[in-house]
């Protein structure tokens, strides 16, 4: 708890909101989701790249990022939940047949604003090049 408090005091706003969500999820949800602001839909953007491996709080991180950014966060369980489209994408990415623009279009066209967990985290370096303004978060145990 002391480490999270220190991190909270010296971090930027996005990290502070995520830490608050992880520390106080019920209070965060009740306060922040009760009033939704209406605005024009922004240009598709990718905000966060999760570089941590599975089983390191990636589901909680996913929930926090989806709440924070109002878009979908790609998680490894989506590979199992969806069939052809996702399998083909990861297969082609691994083989190296997709351009950076293809990858960017695939994520943003489906409404993803962040990504965590495997297989996403295995390609974090490439995603850092494709989405240069995205924050990188490393989850560890």
């Amino acid at each position: 708890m002391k480490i999270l408090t220190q991190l909270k005091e010296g971090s930027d706003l996005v990290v502070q909101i995520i830490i608050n969500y992880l520390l106080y999820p019920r209070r965060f949800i009740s306060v922040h989701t009760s009033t939704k602001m209406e605005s024009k839909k922004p240009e598709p953007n990718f905000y966060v790249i999760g570089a941590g491996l599975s089983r390191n709080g990636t589901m909680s991180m996913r929930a926090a990022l989806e709440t924070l950014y109002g878009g979908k966060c790609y998680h490894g369980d989506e590979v199992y939940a969806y069939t052809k489209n996702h399998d083909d994408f990861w297969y082609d990415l691994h083989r190296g047949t997709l351009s950076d623009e293809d990858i960017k279009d695939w994520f943003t066209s489906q409404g993803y604003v962040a990504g965590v967990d495997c297989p996403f985290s295995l390609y974090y370096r490439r995603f850092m090049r494709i989405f240069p303004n995205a924050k990188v978060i490393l989850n560890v145990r």
Side-chain angles (χ1 to χ4, degrees):
M1 188 69 128
K2 183 178 180 181
I3 293 172
L4 287 176
T5 305
Q6 291 171 348
L7 183 63
K8 187 175 168 184
E9 292 170 358
S11 302
D12 67 0
L13 181 61
V14 172
V15 174
Q16 287 181 21
I17 292 172
I18 291 170
I19 290 170
N20 280 331
Y21 178 80
L22 295 174
L23 288 174
Y24 314 106
R26 287 192 175 104
R27 185 173 69 183
F28 184 89
I29 290 171
S30 65
V31 171
H32 294 287
T33 59
S34 60
T35 57
K36 292 205 175 205
M37 297 188 319
E38 303 239 354
S39 62
K40 291 183 179 177
K41 189 159 183 131
E43 284 290 316
N45 204 352
F46 207 83
Y47 298 103
V48 178
I49 297 167
L53 296 176
S54 300
R55 310 302 305 156
N56 285 301
T58 55
M59 285 297 267
S60 299
M61 181 64 71
R62 174 190 193 181
L65 293 172
E66 287 179 347
T67 301
L68 179 63
Y69 291 111
K72 297 189 298 185
C73 177
Y74 194 89
H75 189 276
D77 68 350
E78 296 192 37
V79 175
Y80 304 109
Y82 304 101
T83 54
K84 192 78 170 137
N85 185 11
H86 290 249
D87 290 345
D88 289 346
F89 171 78
W90 290 109
Y91 180 72
D92 291 343
L93 179 63
H94 181 70
R95 286 187 336 174
T97 59
L98 295 175
S99 70
D100 288 353
E101 195 61 36
D102 292 337
I103 295 168
K104 184 176 186 175
D105 290 344
W106 193 85
F107 281 107
T108 56
S109 69
Q110 296 184 54
Y112 290 109
V113 296
V116 296
D117 199 41
C118 290
F120 184 88
S121 61
L122 299 176
Y123 299 94
Y124 75 92
R125 286 190 180 126
R126 184 157 186 199
F127 293 136
M128 288 171 59
R129 186 177 68 235
I130 296 168
F131 305 108
N133 295 325
K135 303 277 187 190
V136 178
I137 298 177
L138 175 62
N139 289 25
V140 294
R141 287 186 191 215

